[in-house]
Amino acid sequence: MDGARRGETRKKWEMKPGMAGSPDCAYRAGRRRDFQALLEDGRAMATGTEHGEFTIPTSRINQVAPTQVVDVAELYNHRRPTTNFAGRLAKLLFFSHLIATVILISFLSIAAFVSPSLLSFHFLLHWHAPLLVAAAASAAISLLFLFVSLRHPATAIKSSFWLSPVLACAVAVILLADGTALGLAFAVPFLLLALIQSLHACWTARRLRHAYAILSAAVASVPPSFALVNFLSLSLLALLAFFALWTLGAGGVAAGVHSRYDAVYLILLLIGLWWTAQAVRYTVFVAVAQIAYLRLACGITIPAAAAFESASKRALGDVCCAAALVPLVAATRAVARAMSAGGSDEFMFSCGWCFKGVADGAVARANRWGLVYVGVYGRGLWSSSAEAWEMFNKQGMERLIDLDLTGSFCLFCGVAGGGVSTLVAGSWMIAAGSDHSTEAKLYAFIIGYFMARIGMAWPQACVAAYHVVFAENPQMSSCIGARMRELQQSSSPPD
């Protein structure tokens, strides 16, 4: 870039975006023009190398040299604005919670090993080993689900919709096999979960055709590569290592060495596990969303190393914030939509619509589509989510987003992964006649669920980027356009 263009670009990128409206649109449009400028010199020549660099034509930069290699880190540093306060705070809280969780796990595991009522070898063999093997099995299942989703999207969706209820029912059966009150207490929710999933699969049967088309088109934007699969596998291994440590602390709680505070310790451990797993999941989400968005919107292919570096370093604060808020907001909105769907009780109906209004306001400030802009443009989670949701409203896409089955598909895959993990750990513990079998099975389900969700962050990120790019350019997808026309012409309730 010459000096004038560099100064113009820097001025454009330092513009302070508002929460919504024309300033945000100008901010985003300016950044997209920067990406499009790379294509003016040759769209197909912006490709990554094994060293994590872009090869960009430089007829404007240097009239003598035909090309110039631009380092990806320099490109991202030039384009990324200063980290926002919410992101810095979320990053600080996340690492503080991570350190506190490790300290708590160390305290509980040491107390369990030195306890005279618990043999260390028995503890390792009949508690830690089954959970570790179950976590490894769930990692393999996660990669299997991902492979099928990328190669055969329609088969993946259909399989998850019938496999997940079956495995949820199997988890209930294996919990009942313990013959304990705790096993019965948790078997009932799993039976209800299997029933709800079965009904949901029947209710959404008419929407499967569109789900096949969207998932097929979206995952095609991020073709599998060795580097991308390698980074995803490293993410799974990192979480697997954390699970291996976490099970030691959970074993200390199960041993009851501090029975007075066991409930408090367990809640703290589960919070630490939940936030850490979600942070890994959304790191993968943001990295893949960058690749998908730039490929769909600009035709640029960036190296996987650059995308994961950006997501795990420069955007980490917003990723941590999203890991804590986005799942809660999504669950709240799902409950609010269910409450406001209908009913004869006028009071409950009005309360449901009030609750839905609050949930809609929350989802406009924290949603997974905003994470696409977090990764690509370096925006904060709040402004990115607001801009993405505003575009959906302007394009009349809110109902399309509500009826999208990608979230359900990923959730069903997570339940299936948790079911496989539970069956592996539960079979081991039943055969060995281990104590605390019910607790181990429940922990195995949680571990398997999160491992599967990390793998499914890839296709979910592709679909999110696909929706965002369509909102910016409605001519890019005839599939979504046809579906929106169907929804507009239909006067019946959502199918």
Side-chain angles (χ1 to χ4, degrees), residues 324-334 359 362-367:
L325 296 179
V326 171
L328 296 178
V329 171
T332 301
R333 189 163 186 267
V363 79
R365 293 295 180 266
N367 57 69

Side-chain angles (χ1 to χ4, degrees), residues 203-214 337 395-405 466-467 470 474 477-490 492-495:
W203 179 50
T204 57
R206 289 183 292 172
R207 293 167 20 207
L208 290 178
R209 180 178 56 85
H210 175 72
Y212 301 156
I214 289 295
R337 288 178 56 208
Q395 297 292 346
M397 295 176 58
E398 185 174 357
R399 190 181 178 196
L400 175 77
I401 295 298
D402 288 340
L403 296 178
D404 180 49
L405 291 179
Y466 198 82
H467 283 142
F470 176 84
S477 173
S478 59
C479 176
I480 295 182
R483 177 60 174 169
M484 290 182 63
R485 286 190 293 271
E486 290 178 7
L487 295 177
Q488 291 171 358
Q489 294 172 1
S490 174
S492 60
D495 48 347

Side-chain angles (χ1 to χ4, degrees), residues 367 369-371 373 383-393 468 471:
N367 57 69
W369 299 274
L371 288 171
Y373 287 154
S383 55
S384 297
S385 299
E387 183 176 349
W389 201 253
E390 182 186 14
M391 286 195 307
F392 291 158
N393 289 331
V468 170

Side-chain angles (χ1 to χ4, degrees), residues 8 338 386 408 424 431 448:
E8 179 184 352
S408 299
V424 171

Side-chain angles (χ1 to χ4, degrees), residues 436-459:
H436 309 291
S437 176
T438 302
E439 295 95 321
K441 294 171 186 176
L442 295 173
Y443 296 153
F445 179 84
I446 296 173
I447 292 172
Y449 172 83
F450 282 123
M451 295 292 278
R453 290 306 301 266
I454 289 174
M456 299 314 296
W458 182 330

Side-chain angles (χ1 to χ4, degrees), residues 97-109 112 123 127 131 239 242-258 261-278 439 443 446-447 450:
H97 119 275
L98 199 59
I99 294 173
T101 302
V102 171
I103 293 174
L104 178 61
I105 290 172
S106 302
F107 168 72
L108 292 173
S109 58
F123 173 69
W127 173 271
L131 289 177
L239 193 59
F242 180 78
F243 284 151
L245 180 65
W246 187 88
T247 54
L248 294 175
V253 174
V257 293
H258 300 284
Y261 305 106
D262 281 350
V264 176
Y265 292 151
L266 180 59
I267 292 174
L268 293 177
L269 285 175
L270 290 175
I271 292 175
L273 174 64
W274 176 77
W275 198 5
T276 304
Q278 294 286 11
E439 295 95 321
Y443 296 153
I446 296 173
I447 292 172
F450 282 123

Side-chain angles (χ1 to χ4, degrees), residues 210-267:
H210 175 72
Y212 301 156
I214 289 295
L215 184 60
S216 301
V219 297
S221 64
V222 185
S225 64
F226 175 79
L228 191 54
V229 174
N230 184 44
F231 278 105
L232 177 63
S233 301
L234 289 176
S235 301
L236 290 172
L237 287 176
L239 193 59
L240 183 62
F242 180 78
F243 284 151
L245 180 65
W246 187 88
T247 54
L248 294 175
V253 174
V257 293
H258 300 284
S259 57
R260 177 183 297 182
Y261 305 106
D262 281 350
V264 176
Y265 292 151
L266 180 59
I267 292 174

